[in-house]
Amino acid sequence: MAVDVSIVVAIYNAEEYIDNCLDMLTRQTLKNIEIICVDDGSVDKSLEMLQAYSSRDERIRVFTEENKGAGAARNRGLTEATGKYMLFLDCDDFFEPNMVQLAYEKAEEQRAEIVIYKSDQYNMDSGEFVYENWTMIEWALPPYEPFGYRQISTNIFKAFVGWAWDKLYLREFVVKNDLKFQEQRTTNDALFVFSALVLAEKISTVRKILIHRRVDTVDSLSKTREKSWDNFYRMLLALRQFLKDREKWNELEKDFVNYALHFSLWNYNTLAEPAKTKLRNKLVSEWFEELGIRQRHKEYFYNEYEYSQYEAMLKLQDTP
């Protein structure tokens, strides 16, 4: 029998979370799944633990890679997947027991290419759950499903977040469009996600919290982005080229430029020094212009606060 859903999990030094992750996945209410674990060159006991789980549950398949990052590991998992649909999950998150089933049933019911569901944050320090209402801008979505990006009444690059793990993808759709993850240290899933969103003709949603994202974990990549502070810029350049190659640029240029400003400022505001100053200097001297931001008037931008911060950065740089 063909597999319904392939679940790809990229793993690097995750021995602390593997038991919890695989217990929740093997106990999902949808049973006809495969769990593709790609070990990204772990140096702890991760691989040993994965192999032990695999020996107990034939649905778990384990692959190993040299340490190239989550993007490369997900790409390997993508090539190994056999299911009708695919999920790309992070090992340190945790999941509702019916997460896969609800997403799968919605995709089958509406013949969707992408199904997006809700998430919340689990704060590791306080033990509290915080709903992330900005990951799905519900007021901007049409009153019917499925839909495409043209039916969304806000910037397509802000209607949903450019992370992969809260979305189910039709594998045939991904393969047909040759969608791949960027093989870089951070911001390696946004190109894949946004490319899928602008190509999909049938997007559906599950308006329930099905996944819980751990925050404030000690080893989180998001806490060490100063080591790869330029990765977001490389993603933006690749996304712009993708839009041009797929003849979407004329239609989505304004959304892209507005998102480029938003994402540049978000990265700047959340970076630690000294990378923060490096990024500001790069943005002001080169990248704002390269991304098409500096050439625009104030009226071109959707968010006045973001434009004000952008103007302040330019003035600060010009101050002797």
Side-chain angles (χ1 to χ4, degrees), residues 106-107 109-118 135-161 166-168 173 193-207 248 251:
K106 177 58 73 78
E109 173 192 336
Q110 301 192 345
R111 297 184 179 179
E113 295 152 318
I114 305 174
V115 174
I116 306 169
Y117 42 91
K118 292 185 176 182
T135 66
M136 180 186 295
I137 309 302
E138 292 186 76
W139 62 261
L141 305 182
Y144 54 83
E145 292 186 353
F147 54 84
Y149 74 85
R150 291 186 180 91
Q151 286 78 53
I152 297 173
S153 60
T154 191
N155 187 335
I156 178 57
F157 305 116
K158 292 188 71 177
F160 306 103
V161 178
D166 61 349
K167 302 169 183 74
L168 178 84
F173 164 76
V193 171
F194 289 138
S195 299
L197 288 173
V198 301
L199 292 177
E201 297 178 359
K202 294 182 177 181
I203 302 170
S204 298
T205 65
V206 176
R207 310 283 176 98
K248 300 285 186 180
E251 186 177 0

Side-chain angles (χ1 to χ4, degrees), residues 40-51:
D40 183 36
S42 295
V43 295
D44 63 359
K45 295 181 180 178
S46 293
L47 181 58
E48 178 184 335
M49 296 173 70
L50 293 173
Q51 291 169 336

